[in-house]
PDB file of all heavy atoms in Angstrom:
ATOM      1  N   ASN A   1     128.790 -70.136 -21.806  1.00  0.00           N
ATOM      2  CA  ASN A   1     129.711 -70.091 -20.673  1.00  0.00           C
ATOM      3  C   ASN A   1     129.411 -71.192 -19.661  1.00  0.00           C
ATOM      4  O   ASN A   1     130.316 -71.866 -19.153  1.00  0.00           O
ATOM      5  CB  ASN A   1     129.656 -68.721 -19.996  1.00  0.00           C
ATOM      6  CG  ASN A   1     130.229 -67.621 -20.870  1.00  0.00           C
ATOM      7  OD1 ASN A   1     131.071 -67.880 -21.734  1.00  0.00           O
ATOM      8  ND2 ASN A   1     129.767 -66.400 -20.660  1.00  0.00           N
ATOM      9  N   ILE A   2     128.118 -71.357 -19.360  1.00  0.00           N
ATOM     10  CA  ILE A   2     127.742 -72.382 -18.392  1.00  0.00           C
ATOM     11  C   ILE A   2     128.057 -73.763 -18.941  1.00  0.00           C
ATOM     12  O   ILE A   2     128.599 -74.619 -18.228  1.00  0.00           O
ATOM     13  CB  ILE A   2     126.244 -72.267 -18.035  1.00  0.00           C
ATOM     14  CG1 ILE A   2     125.996 -70.982 -17.251  1.00  0.00           C
ATOM     15  CG2 ILE A   2     125.789 -73.480 -17.220  1.00  0.00           C
ATOM     16  CD1 ILE A   2     124.535 -70.726 -16.929  1.00  0.00           C
ATOM     17  N   TRP A   3     127.740 -73.992 -20.220  1.00  0.00           N
ATOM     18  CA  TRP A   3     127.994 -75.308 -20.811  1.00  0.00           C
ATOM     19  C   TRP A   3     129.488 -75.641 -20.801  1.00  0.00           C
ATOM     20  O   TRP A   3     129.890 -76.743 -20.402  1.00  0.00           O
ATOM     21  CB  TRP A   3     127.471 -75.393 -22.238  1.00  0.00           C
ATOM     22  CG  TRP A   3     127.963 -76.640 -22.925  1.00  0.00           C
ATOM     23  CD1 TRP A   3     128.901 -76.734 -23.901  1.00  0.00           C
ATOM     24  CD2 TRP A   3     127.606 -77.987 -22.582  1.00  0.00           C
ATOM     25  NE1 TRP A   3     129.141 -78.050 -24.211  1.00  0.00           N
ATOM     26  CE2 TRP A   3     128.362 -78.838 -23.430  1.00  0.00           C
ATOM     27  CE3 TRP A   3     126.734 -78.548 -21.666  1.00  0.00           C
ATOM     28  CZ2 TRP A   3     128.257 -80.225 -23.364  1.00  0.00           C
ATOM     29  CZ3 TRP A   3     126.626 -79.923 -21.605  1.00  0.00           C
ATOM     30  CH2 TRP A   3     127.372 -80.749 -22.442  1.00  0.00           C
ATOM     31  N   GLU A   4     130.316 -74.700 -21.234  1.00  0.00           N
ATOM     32  CA  GLU A   4     131.753 -74.977 -21.317  1.00  0.00           C
ATOM     33  C   GLU A   4     132.352 -75.197 -19.934  1.00  0.00           C
ATOM     34  O   GLU A   4     133.240 -76.043 -19.760  1.00  0.00           O
ATOM     35  CB  GLU A   4     132.460 -73.845 -22.059  1.00  0.00           C
ATOM     36  CG  GLU A   4     132.112 -73.824 -23.556  1.00  0.00           C
ATOM     37  CD  GLU A   4     132.842 -72.738 -24.320  1.00  0.00           C
ATOM     38  OE1 GLU A   4     133.429 -71.836 -23.666  1.00  0.00           O
ATOM     39  OE2 GLU A   4     132.827 -72.780 -25.566  1.00  0.00           O
ATOM     40  N   SER A   5     131.864 -74.465 -18.951  1.00  0.00           N
ATOM     41  CA  SER A   5     132.332 -74.677 -17.577  1.00  0.00           C
ATOM     42  C   SER A   5     131.908 -76.052 -17.072  1.00  0.00           C
ATOM     43  O   SER A   5     132.702 -76.777 -16.458  1.00  0.00           O
ATOM     44  CB  SER A   5     131.761 -73.580 -16.668  1.00  0.00           C
ATOM     45  OG  SER A   5     132.069 -73.838 -15.315  1.00  0.00           O
ATOM     46  N   PHE A   6     130.658 -76.420 -17.325  1.00  0.00           N
ATOM     47  CA  PHE A   6     130.131 -77.738 -16.932  1.00  0.00           C
ATOM     48  C   PHE A   6     130.917 -78.855 -17.620  1.00  0.00           C
ATOM     49  O   PHE A   6     131.324 -79.835 -16.977  1.00  0.00           O
ATOM     50  CB  PHE A   6     128.653 -77.808 -17.297  1.00  0.00           C
ATOM     51  CG  PHE A   6     128.012 -79.152 -17.058  1.00  0.00           C
ATOM     52  CD1 PHE A   6     127.733 -79.592 -15.770  1.00  0.00           C
ATOM     53  CD2 PHE A   6     127.684 -79.987 -18.127  1.00  0.00           C
ATOM     54  CE1 PHE A   6     127.150 -80.837 -15.539  1.00  0.00           C
ATOM     55  CE2 PHE A   6     127.098 -81.224 -17.914  1.00  0.00           C
ATOM     56  CZ  PHE A   6     126.828 -81.644 -16.617  1.00  0.00           C
ATOM     57  N   ARG A   7     131.144 -78.706 -18.908  1.00  0.00           N
ATOM     58  CA  ARG A   7     131.895 -79.711 -19.669  1.00  0.00           C
ATOM     59  C   ARG A   7     133.324 -79.848 -19.166  1.00  0.00           C
ATOM     60  O   ARG A   7     133.817 -80.969 -18.964  1.00  0.00           O
ATOM     61  CB  ARG A   7     131.907 -79.315 -21.151  1.00  0.00           C
ATOM     62  CG  ARG A   7     132.701 -80.237 -22.065  1.00  0.00           C
ATOM     63  CD  ARG A   7     133.094 -79.519 -23.342  1.00  0.00           C
ATOM     64  NE  ARG A   7     133.979 -78.388 -23.054  1.00  0.00           N
ATOM     65  CZ  ARG A   7     134.164 -77.359 -23.885  1.00  0.00           C
ATOM     66  NH1 ARG A   7     133.516 -77.302 -25.030  1.00  0.00           N
ATOM     67  NH2 ARG A   7     135.002 -76.384 -23.562  1.00  0.00           N
ATOM     68  N   ASP A   8     133.992 -78.719 -18.960  1.00  0.00           N
ATOM     69  CA  ASP A   8     135.392 -78.764 -18.524  1.00  0.00           C
ATOM     70  C   ASP A   8     135.522 -79.396 -17.138  1.00  0.00           C
ATOM     71  O   ASP A   8     136.456 -80.177 -16.884  1.00  0.00           O
ATOM     72  CB  ASP A   8     135.984 -77.350 -18.509  1.00  0.00           C
ATOM     73  CG  ASP A   8     136.118 -76.756 -19.915  1.00  0.00           C
ATOM     74  OD1 ASP A   8     135.987 -77.521 -20.893  1.00  0.00           O
ATOM     75  OD2 ASP A   8     136.327 -75.534 -20.020  1.00  0.00           O
ATOM     76  N   LYS A   9     134.598 -79.062 -16.242  1.00  0.00           N
ATOM     77  CA  LYS A   9     134.633 -79.656 -14.892  1.00  0.00           C
ATOM     78  C   LYS A   9     134.408 -81.167 -14.964  1.00  0.00           C
ATOM     79  O   LYS A   9     135.051 -81.939 -14.245  1.00  0.00           O
ATOM     80  CB  LYS A   9     133.574 -78.987 -14.011  1.00  0.00           C
ATOM     81  CG  LYS A   9     133.534 -79.474 -12.564  1.00  0.00           C
ATOM     82  CD  LYS A   9     134.800 -79.104 -11.810  1.00  0.00           C
ATOM     83  CE  LYS A   9     134.883 -77.629 -11.510  1.00  0.00           C
ATOM     84  NZ  LYS A   9     133.930 -77.157 -10.504  1.00  0.00           N
ATOM     85  N   HIS A  10     133.520 -81.596 -15.853  1.00  0.00           N
ATOM     86  CA  HIS A  10     133.263 -83.022 -16.025  1.00  0.00           C
ATOM     87  C   HIS A  10     134.516 -83.736 -16.550  1.00  0.00           C
ATOM     88  O   HIS A  10     134.908 -84.791 -16.025  1.00  0.00           O
ATOM     89  CB  HIS A  10     132.110 -83.227 -17.012  1.00  0.00           C
ATOM     90  CG  HIS A  10     131.694 -84.665 -17.176  1.00  0.00           C
ATOM     91  ND1 HIS A  10     130.703 -85.243 -16.427  1.00  0.00           N
ATOM     92  CD2 HIS A  10     132.167 -85.659 -17.986  1.00  0.00           C
ATOM     93  CE1 HIS A  10     130.571 -86.518 -16.766  1.00  0.00           C
ATOM     94  NE2 HIS A  10     131.451 -86.784 -17.713  1.00  0.00           N
ATOM     95  N   GLU A  11     135.122 -83.171 -17.545  1.00  0.00           N
ATOM     96  CA  GLU A  11     136.322 -83.789 -18.126  1.00  0.00           C
ATOM     97  C   GLU A  11     137.468 -83.829 -17.120  1.00  0.00           C
ATOM     98  O   GLU A  11     138.232 -84.799 -17.071  1.00  0.00           O
ATOM     99  CB  GLU A  11     136.743 -83.028 -19.391  1.00  0.00           C
ATOM    100  CG  GLU A  11     135.752 -83.194 -20.543  1.00  0.00           C
ATOM    101  CD  GLU A  11     136.124 -82.376 -21.764  1.00  0.00           C
ATOM    102  OE1 GLU A  11     137.072 -81.549 -21.656  1.00  0.00           O
ATOM    103  OE2 GLU A  11     135.486 -82.546 -22.818  1.00  0.00           O
ATOM    104  N   GLU A  12     137.562 -82.799 -16.304  1.00  0.00           N
ATOM    105  CA  GLU A  12     138.624 -82.738 -15.291  1.00  0.00           C
ATOM    106  C   GLU A  12     138.429 -83.791 -14.207  1.00  0.00           C
ATOM    107  O   GLU A  12     139.393 -84.440 -13.778  1.00  0.00           O
ATOM    108  CB  GLU A  12     138.639 -81.335 -14.675  1.00  0.00           C
ATOM    109  CG  GLU A  12     139.638 -81.172 -13.541  1.00  0.00           C
ATOM    110  CD  GLU A  12     139.509 -79.827 -12.838  1.00  0.00           C
ATOM    111  OE1 GLU A  12     138.815 -78.935 -13.379  1.00  0.00           O
ATOM    112  OE2 GLU A  12     140.076 -79.680 -11.741  1.00  0.00           O
ATOM    113  N   ASN A  13     137.179 -84.002 -13.781  1.00  0.00           N
ATOM    114  CA  ASN A  13     136.909 -84.884 -12.651  1.00  0.00           C
ATOM    115  C   ASN A  13     136.600 -86.330 -13.033  1.00  0.00           C
ATOM    116  O   ASN A  13     137.008 -87.259 -12.340  1.00  0.00           O
ATOM    117  CB  ASN A  13     135.725 -84.337 -11.843  1.00  0.00           C
ATOM    118  CG  ASN A  13     136.066 -83.061 -11.099  1.00  0.00           C
ATOM    119  OD1 ASN A  13     137.217 -82.809 -10.761  1.00  0.00           O
ATOM    120  ND2 ASN A  13     135.066 -82.232 -10.857  1.00  0.00           N
ATOM    121  N   ILE A  14     135.851 -86.521 -14.107  1.00  0.00           N
ATOM    122  CA  ILE A  14     135.325 -87.844 -14.428  1.00  0.00           C
ATOM    123  C   ILE A  14     136.199 -88.618 -15.407  1.00  0.00           C
ATOM    124  O   ILE A  14     136.402 -89.830 -15.250  1.00  0.00           O
ATOM    125  CB  ILE A  14     133.894 -87.735 -14.994  1.00  0.00           C
ATOM    126  CG1 ILE A  14     133.008 -86.922 -14.045  1.00  0.00           C
ATOM    127  CG2 ILE A  14     133.308 -89.124 -15.233  1.00  0.00           C
ATOM    128  CD1 ILE A  14     132.920 -87.484 -12.637  1.00  0.00           C
ATOM    129  N   ASP A  15     136.734 -87.937 -16.406  1.00  0.00           N
ATOM    130  CA  ASP A  15     137.514 -88.647 -17.429  1.00  0.00           C
ATOM    131  C   ASP A  15     138.690 -89.439 -16.850  1.00  0.00           C
ATOM    132  O   ASP A  15     138.942 -90.578 -17.273  1.00  0.00           O
ATOM    133  CB  ASP A  15     138.010 -87.669 -18.496  1.00  0.00           C
ATOM    134  CG  ASP A  15     136.880 -87.226 -19.427  1.00  0.00           C
ATOM    135  OD1 ASP A  15     135.731 -87.671 -19.196  1.00  0.00           O
ATOM    136  OD2 ASP A  15     137.133 -86.447 -20.366  1.00  0.00           O
ATOM    137  N   PRO A  16     139.445 -88.887 -15.881  1.00  0.00           N
ATOM    138  CA  PRO A  16     140.551 -89.678 -15.306  1.00  0.00           C
ATOM    139  C   PRO A  16     140.072 -90.976 -14.652  1.00  0.00           C
ATOM    140  O   PRO A  16     140.764 -92.000 -14.701  1.00  0.00           O
ATOM    141  CB  PRO A  16     141.167 -88.730 -14.275  1.00  0.00           C
ATOM    142  CG  PRO A  16     140.816 -87.361 -14.751  1.00  0.00           C
ATOM    143  CD  PRO A  16     139.442 -87.505 -15.346  1.00  0.00           C
ATOM    144  N   ILE A  17     138.891 -90.940 -14.032  1.00  0.00           N
ATOM    145  CA  ILE A  17     138.342 -92.143 -13.396  1.00  0.00           C
ATOM    146  C   ILE A  17     137.962 -93.167 -14.461  1.00  0.00           C
ATOM    147  O   ILE A  17     138.239 -94.365 -14.323  1.00  0.00           O
ATOM    148  CB  ILE A  17     137.125 -91.777 -12.531  1.00  0.00           C
ATOM    149  CG1 ILE A  17     137.553 -90.843 -11.389  1.00  0.00           C
ATOM    150  CG2 ILE A  17     136.461 -93.035 -11.966  1.00  0.00           C
ATOM    151  CD1 ILE A  17     136.401 -90.280 -10.579  1.00  0.00           C
ATOM    152  N   SER A  18     137.354 -92.703 -15.543  1.00  0.00           N
ATOM    153  CA  SER A  18     136.989 -93.597 -16.644  1.00  0.00           C
ATOM    154  C   SER A  18     138.225 -94.213 -17.281  1.00  0.00           C
ATOM    155  O   SER A  18     138.239 -95.407 -17.612  1.00  0.00           O
ATOM    156  CB  SER A  18     136.187 -92.833 -17.708  1.00  0.00           C
ATOM    157  OG  SER A  18     134.994 -92.314 -17.170  1.00  0.00           O
ATOM    158  N   ASP A  19     139.271 -93.397 -17.454  1.00  0.00           N
ATOM    159  CA  ASP A  19     140.495 -93.879 -18.108  1.00  0.00           C
ATOM    160  C   ASP A  19     141.170 -94.994 -17.306  1.00  0.00           C
ATOM    161  O   ASP A  19     141.815 -95.875 -17.879  1.00  0.00           O
ATOM    162  CB  ASP A  19     141.469 -92.722 -18.316  1.00  0.00           C
ATOM    163  CG  ASP A  19     140.955 -91.699 -19.326  1.00  0.00           C
ATOM    164  OD1 ASP A  19     140.034 -92.047 -20.099  1.00  0.00           O
ATOM    165  OD2 ASP A  19     141.453 -90.556 -19.317  1.00  0.00           O
ATOM    166  N   LYS A  20     141.030 -94.950 -15.981  1.00  0.00           N
ATOM    167  CA  LYS A  20     141.668 -95.957 -15.133  1.00  0.00           C
ATOM    168  C   LYS A  20     140.940 -97.300 -15.152  1.00  0.00           C
ATOM    169  O   LYS A  20     141.495 -98.323 -14.728  1.00  0.00           O
ATOM    170  CB  LYS A  20     141.762 -95.457 -13.690  1.00  0.00           C
ATOM    171  CG  LYS A  20     142.787 -94.349 -13.482  1.00  0.00           C
ATOM    172  CD  LYS A  20     142.817 -93.916 -12.018  1.00  0.00           C
ATOM    173  CE  LYS A  20     143.828 -92.798 -11.800  1.00  0.00           C
ATOM    174  NZ  LYS A  20     143.849 -92.344 -10.384  1.00  0.00           N
ATOM    175  N   GLU A  21     139.704 -97.311 -15.637  1.00  0.00           N
ATOM    176  CA  GLU A  21     138.906 -98.538 -15.593  1.00  0.00           C
ATOM    177  C   GLU A  21     139.453 -99.635 -16.494  1.00  0.00           C
ATOM    178  O   GLU A  21     139.376-100.813 -16.174  1.00  0.00           O
ATOM    179  CB  GLU A  21     137.465 -98.246 -16.029  1.00  0.00           C
ATOM    180  CG  GLU A  21     136.605 -97.619 -14.968  1.00  0.00           C
ATOM    181  CD  GLU A  21     135.165 -97.581 -15.396  1.00  0.00           C
ATOM    182  OE1 GLU A  21     134.865 -96.980 -16.453  1.00  0.00           O
ATOM    183  OE2 GLU A  21     134.323 -98.158 -14.680  1.00  0.00           O
ATOM    184  N   GLY A  22     139.980 -99.245 -17.640  1.00  0.00           N
ATOM    185  CA  GLY A  22     140.399-100.265 -18.599  1.00  0.00           C
ATOM    186  C   GLY A  22     139.209-100.874 -19.313  1.00  0.00           C
ATOM    187  O   GLY A  22     138.072-100.414 -19.179  1.00  0.00           O
ATOM    188  N   LEU A  23     139.447-101.940 -20.064  1.00  0.00           N
ATOM    189  CA  LEU A  23     138.383-102.578 -20.840  1.00  0.00           C
ATOM    190  C   LEU A  23     137.525-103.481 -19.951  1.00  0.00           C
ATOM    191  O   LEU A  23     138.030-104.095 -19.016  1.00  0.00           O
ATOM    192  CB  LEU A  23     138.989-103.402 -21.980  1.00  0.00           C
ATOM    193  CG  LEU A  23     139.766-102.600 -23.038  1.00  0.00           C
ATOM    194  CD1 LEU A  23     140.433-103.543 -24.040  1.00  0.00           C
ATOM    195  CD2 LEU A  23     138.849-101.621 -23.760  1.00  0.00           C
ATOM    196  N   PRO A  24     136.223-103.567 -20.244  1.00  0.00           N
ATOM    197  CA  PRO A  24     135.354-104.444 -19.448  1.00  0.00           C
ATOM    198  C   PRO A  24     135.633-105.912 -19.738  1.00  0.00           C
ATOM    199  O   PRO A  24     136.062-106.266 -20.832  1.00  0.00           O
ATOM    200  CB  PRO A  24     133.943-104.058 -19.909  1.00  0.00           C
ATOM    201  CG  PRO A  24     134.136-103.545 -21.303  1.00  0.00           C
ATOM    202  CD  PRO A  24     135.468-102.855 -21.297  1.00  0.00           C
ATOM    203  N   ASN A  25     135.381-106.756 -18.751  1.00  0.00           N
ATOM    204  CA  ASN A  25     135.566-108.196 -18.917  1.00  0.00           C
ATOM    205  C   ASN A  25     134.243-108.833 -19.343  1.00  0.00           C
ATOM    206  O   ASN A  25     133.313-108.944 -18.544  1.00  0.00           O
ATOM    207  CB  ASN A  25     136.052-108.812 -17.601  1.00  0.00           C
ATOM    208  CG  ASN A  25     136.165-110.323 -17.685  1.00  0.00           C
ATOM    209  OD1 ASN A  25     136.331-110.874 -18.778  1.00  0.00           O
ATOM    210  ND2 ASN A  25     136.082-111.001 -16.562  1.00  0.00           N
ATOM    211  N   LEU A  26     134.158-109.235 -20.608  1.00  0.00           N
ATOM    212  CA  LEU A  26     132.939-109.867 -21.118  1.00  0.00           C
ATOM    213  C   LEU A  26     133.032-111.386 -21.085  1.00  0.00           C
ATOM    214  O   LEU A  26     132.063-112.081 -21.384  1.00  0.00           O
ATOM    215  CB  LEU A  26     132.657-109.403 -22.552  1.00  0.00           C
ATOM    216  CG  LEU A  26     132.513-107.886 -22.757  1.00  0.00           C
ATOM    217  CD1 LEU A  26     132.141-107.589 -24.207  1.00  0.00           C
ATOM    218  CD2 LEU A  26     131.485-107.283 -21.819  1.00  0.00           C
ATOM    219  N   ASP A  27     134.202-111.899 -20.727  1.00  0.00           N
ATOM    220  CA  ASP A  27     134.392-113.349 -20.666  1.00  0.00           C
ATOM    221  C   ASP A  27     134.161-113.822 -19.233  1.00  0.00           C
ATOM    222  O   ASP A  27     135.089-114.062 -18.472  1.00  0.00           O
ATOM    223  CB  ASP A  27     135.810-113.703 -21.134  1.00  0.00           C
ATOM    224  CG  ASP A  27     136.017-115.212 -21.221  1.00  0.00           C
ATOM    225  OD1 ASP A  27     134.998-115.937 -21.269  1.00  0.00           O
ATOM    226  OD2 ASP A  27     137.179-115.653 -21.234  1.00  0.00           O
ATOM    227  N   THR A  28     132.901-113.917 -18.869  1.00  0.00           N
ATOM    228  CA  THR A  28     132.543-114.268 -17.498  1.00  0.00           C
ATOM    229  C   THR A  28     131.268-115.089 -17.506  1.00  0.00           C
ATOM    230  O   THR A  28     130.470-114.998 -18.451  1.00  0.00           O
ATOM    231  CB  THR A  28     132.333-112.993 -16.650  1.00  0.00           C
ATOM    232  OG1 THR A  28     131.810-113.337 -15.378  1.00  0.00           O
ATOM    233  CG2 THR A  28     131.381-112.032 -17.325  1.00  0.00           C
ATOM    234  N   ASN A  29     131.070-115.884 -16.486  1.00  0.00           N
ATOM    235  CA  ASN A  29     129.881-116.736 -16.437  1.00  0.00           C
ATOM    236  C   ASN A  29     128.605-115.947 -16.178  1.00  0.00           C
ATOM    237  O   ASN A  29     127.517-116.354 -16.589  1.00  0.00           O
ATOM    238  CB  ASN A  29     130.051-117.804 -15.343  1.00  0.00           C
ATOM    239  CG  ASN A  29     131.095-118.833 -15.709  1.00  0.00           C
ATOM    240  OD1 ASN A  29     131.291-119.133 -16.886  1.00  0.00           O
ATOM    241  ND2 ASN A  29     131.791-119.366 -14.718  1.00  0.00           N
TER     242      ASN A  29
END
């Protein structure tokens, strides 16, 4: 119960922020 609650809260709060980041820029000096 604790794990699933922790996981669901993480997915609800953090995943949208990660999704907005897009791909990293590796072509940089």
Side-chain angles (χ1 to χ4, degrees):
N1 292 334
I2 292 176
W3 169 253
E4 290 182 347
S5 173
F6 175 73
R7 178 202 63 201
D8 293 347
K9 182 66 72 70
H10 185 92
E11 292 177 351
E12 176 187 347
N13 290 334
I14 307 302
D15 286 2
I17 297 173
S18 299
D19 293 342
K20 288 180 181 179
E21 281 190 302
L23 296 174
N25 176 25
L26 303 184
D27 186 19
T28 172
N29 290 329

